[in-house]
């Protein structure tokens, strides 16, 4: 009898979303929007994922690939965000142009694993424009930042930041949470650590991006962005044709066989002189 009352009490304590829910910003990633939703609704992340049934996808990283239609319809019912806008926040929007076609069933672990190996995507490494994060107080992250095709922010004329500028290490996404506001790398050096073995804690919006000095870089990024959004101009047909050839043939692992000095300049924050 006591067990039954406890179960009923737990059911009564279950929370639901309240209107109005926070709206996604243009180009936002599903992970970022779910994080904003959790903050707005004062929800812990795990209970929110259970409420939205996103925990059945293996976390936010799985859901951001492409949620099944029943799950997307549930999200639409609970949040009022239509399925078209929801799918626009997932990597499925780039399937067939910037990314290879996604497996139809996300539960097929082998197919998903093969897709991850061939997809031109930063699976866990964060890349961002600090000025964009400053412009929106809720720190919303764009979906296209996950693609290697995105290298500069056209709006602010800067290159995307690829590492923390306090501990000089790569910033990584958590599996079941949106990007943190501060660097979570464990380090024993740098002015932003209070003690040995503490997280770095450097605010990501305080990173200083490198300004783009060549306008042709921003022109190219503008063309790439139009292609990613599915609206390339007639003049961009060469870019589209080249990408159609490259995507099926070239994998991210091929970069590992590139020139060591080039890789050092691109990846290492200490390779500033080579990078310039």
């Amino acid at each position: 009898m006591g067990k039954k009352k406890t179960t009923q009490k737990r059911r009564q304590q279950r929370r639901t979303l309240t209107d109005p829910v926070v709206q996604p910003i243009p180009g936002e990633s599903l992970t970022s929007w779910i994080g904003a939703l959790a903050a707005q609704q004062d929800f812990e992340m795990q209970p929110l994922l259970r409420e939205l049934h996103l925990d059945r996808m293996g976390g936010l990283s799985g859901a951001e690939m492409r949620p099944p239609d029943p799950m997307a319809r549930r999200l639409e019912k609970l949040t009022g965000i239509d399925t078209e806008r929801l799918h626009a926040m997932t990597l499925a929007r780039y399937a067939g142009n910037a990314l290879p076609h996604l497996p139809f069933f996300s539960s097929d672990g082998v197919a998903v694993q093969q897709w991850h190996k061939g997809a031109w995507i930063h699976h866990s490494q964060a890349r961002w424009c600090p000025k964009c994060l400053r412009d929106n107080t809720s720190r919303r992250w764009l979906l296209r930042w996950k693609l290697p095709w995105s290298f500069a922010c056209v709006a602010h004329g800067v290159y995307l930041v690829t590492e923390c500028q306090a501990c000089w290490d790569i910033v990584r996404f958590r599996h079941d949470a949106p990007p943190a506001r501060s660097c979570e790398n464990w380090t024993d050096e740098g002015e932003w650590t209070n003690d040995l073995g503490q997280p770095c804690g450097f605010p990501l919006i305080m990173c200083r991006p490198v300004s783009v000095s060549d306008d042709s870089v921003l022109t190219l990024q503008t063309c790439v962005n139009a292609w990613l959004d599915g609206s390339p101009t007639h003049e961009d047909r060469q870019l589209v044709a080249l990408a159609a050839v490259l995507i099926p043939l070239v994998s991210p692992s091929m970069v590992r066989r590139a020139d060591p000095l080039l890789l050092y300049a691109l990846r290492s924050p200490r390779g500033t002189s080579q990078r310039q």
Side-chain angles (χ1 to χ4, degrees):
M1 186 71 176
K3 184 177 180 180
K4 184 176 180 180
K5 288 183 178 180
T6 302
T7 302
Q8 291 176 344
K9 185 177 180 180
R10 287 177 179 173
R11 288 176 179 172
Q12 292 172 354
Q13 292 177 344
R14 177 184 172 184
R15 290 191 53 202
T16 57
L17 300 178
T18 57
D19 291 329
V21 302
V22 62
Q23 297 292 303
I25 66 173
E28 186 174 11
S29 71
L30 183 67
T31 299
S32 173
W33 175 66
I34 293 296
L37 183 64
Q40 183 224 15
Q41 300 280 326
D42 196 24
F43 248 96
E44 293 291 333
M45 184 57 64
Q46 292 305 319
L48 179 59
L49 294 180
R50 287 194 297 269
E51 175 68 15
L52 301 177
H53 289 182
L54 294 180
D55 58 326
R56 304 178 185 184
M57 294 288 295
L60 282 174
S61 58
E64 193 166 70
M65 187 176 74
R66 179 177 58 198
D69 289 340
M71 189 174 296
R73 288 194 294 268
R74 177 177 176 80
L75 276 168
E76 180 180 21
K77 181 180 179 181
L78 293 177
T79 67
I81 308 300
D82 61 74
T83 54
E84 183 177 353
R85 293 178 68 191
L86 290 170
H87 282 299
M89 291 189 284
T90 68
L91 295 170
R93 69 174 296 173
Y94 301 126
N97 64 346
L99 296 174
H101 287 287
L102 293 148
F104 186 76
F105 296 104
S106 57
S107 57
D108 187 343
V110 175
V112 171
Q113 185 177 19
Q114 290 299 319
W115 178 85
H116 272 281
K117 287 182 178 180
W120 288 30
I121 179 180
H122 296 286
H123 301 287
S124 59
Q125 178 180 346
R127 301 161 81 245
W128 69 99
C129 172
K131 294 188 177 183
C132 284
L133 295 182
R134 293 173 201 156
D135 284 350
N136 56 83
T137 55
S138 51
R139 309 288 190 264
R140 315 290 275 277
W141 290 64
L142 301 185
L143 180 65
R144 65 170 176 262
W145 290 347
K146 286 197 168 185
L147 302 177
W149 299 96
S150 297
F151 45 84
C153 175
V154 176
H156 296 104
V158 298
Y159 289 101
L160 298 185
V161 175
T162 59
E163 62 274 313
C164 171
Q165 294 175 353
C167 66
W168 300 116
D169 201 358
I170 293 172
V171 176
R172 299 190 179 277
F173 295 121
R174 288 172 286 176
H175 177 64
D176 283 328
R181 296 190 175 192
S182 301
C183 176
E184 296 182 331
N185 291 323
W186 287 75
T187 179
D188 57 3
E189 60 182 21
E191 61 180 336
W192 287 90
T193 56
N194 297 322
D195 198 359
L196 297 180
Q198 294 293 322
C200 171
F202 187 78
L204 301 185
I205 63 169
M206 291 183 63
C207 291
R208 296 181 179 179
V210 177
S211 298
V212 176
S213 57
D214 189 345
D215 290 341
S216 63
V217 173
L218 298 179
T219 300
L220 177 58
Q221 183 67 82
T222 300
C223 294
V224 170
N225 289 347
W227 166 65
L228 291 176
D229 293 335
S231 58
T233 64
H234 181 70
E235 289 74 18
D236 296 334
R237 61 187 182 278
Q238 289 183 333
L239 170 64
V240 175
L242 178 62
V245 174
L246 285 177
I247 291 171
L249 299 179
V250 182
S251 69
S253 61
M254 293 182 181
V255 179
R256 302 190 188 102
R257 296 194 291 271
D259 181 82
L261 181 60
L262 176 61
L263 287 181
Y264 177 80
L266 291 175
R267 292 179 178 176
S268 172
R270 297 178 177 85
T272 306
S273 59
Q274 291 97 323
R275 184 182 305 155
Q276 291 176 348

